Amino acid sequence: MKTPFLFPNAFKPIGWILFVPAFLLSVSISVFNINTEDYLVCRVFTFANENFLGSVTNSFSFIENSIVDELCLLCLIVGGIFVCFSRLKNEDEFISKIRYESLVWATYCNYGIVLFLTFFIYGTPFLNVLFYNTFTLILFFIIRFHYKLYQLRKVSENEE
């Protein structure tokens, strides 16, 4: 079956190598409230930068900034997309159906949670909800898709 929108199968291991460490690092930083402002500081271009009072300063300029969070998010998203949308070795119509259903399920689940949290989390903590929302869709898809593949393999083994 031809699936032109999927990456080659060789991208999947690269995706896992990027996604898993970035996910663990992001969760660790968040759970243990680790300050990363002193790590990987470099000069970066900014469209807008705000000071501690919230007013925008230094628009369209270069600033010194830690890029740990940006690198984590980059690895989470790129790695997650590689894992989600890399062709399997035996990609067929049934796998495509599982992939489609998992994507729809993950989208419903993700936005259902975001809508629920919209009514119960306010202020600055809601920014954390929006941050996590950038990769939870990918995470939900990975979990559901691979769980369904596991169930398919289990049924196939029992039939033999």
Side-chain angles (χ1 to χ4, degrees):
M1 178 181 151
K2 198 74 169 151
T3 49
F5 56 88
L6 295 177
F7 294 107
N9 182 260
F11 280 57
K12 190 174 281 287
I14 297 167
W16 284 116
I17 290 168
L18 291 172
F19 184 78
V20 171
F23 179 75
L24 294 174
L25 182 63
S26 295
V27 168
S28 298
I29 289 170
S30 182
V31 168
F32 299 116
N33 202 19
I34 298 170
N35 184 1
T36 60
E37 293 302 314
D38 296 330
Y39 303 104
L40 290 174
V41 175
C42 61
R43 194 166 171 81
V44 294
F45 181 76
T46 180
F47 289 124
N49 184 38
E50 68 178 8
N51 62 14
F52 68 95
L53 297 176
S55 62
V56 175
T57 59
N58 299 336
S59 297
F60 299 100
S61 62
F62 286 91
I63 61 167
E64 295 288 322
N65 188 48
S66 170
I67 59 169
V68 172
D69 48 352
E70 287 85 358
L71 289 176
C72 279
L73 191 58
L74 174 77
C75 290
L76 275 170
I77 292 172
V78 172
I81 287 174
F82 283 176
V83 170
C84 291
F85 302 111
S86 291
R87 190 175 287 115
L88 296 179
K89 288 181 182 174
N90 58 347
E91 189 83 26
D92 60 10
E93 287 84 9
F94 192 66
I95 299 296
S96 292
K97 181 180 184 287
I98 292 172
R99 187 182 300 278
Y100 166 75
E101 288 174 354
S102 296
L103 185 58
V104 170
W105 178 89
T107 303
Y108 286 157
C109 186
N110 184 61
Y111 286 105
I113 290 169
V114 169
L115 285 173
F116 177 78
L117 294 177
T118 297
F119 296 106
F120 296 104
I121 298 179
Y122 300 98
T124 306
F126 188 69
L127 293 177
N128 284 335
V129 170
L130 296 180
F131 168 74
Y132 291 125
N133 186 45
T134 59
F135 64 88
T136 52
L137 177 67
I138 291 170
L139 182 65
F140 291 154
F141 173 81
I142 290 171
I143 292 168
R144 165 77 181 215
F145 181 64
H146 288 279
Y147 176 70
K148 287 296 188 178
L149 290 178
Y150 169 77
Q151 284 182 325
L152 179 63
R153 276 192 301 266
K154 199 93 165 146
V155 168
S156 296
E157 289 173 2
N158 289 340
E159 289 178 357
E160 292 176 356

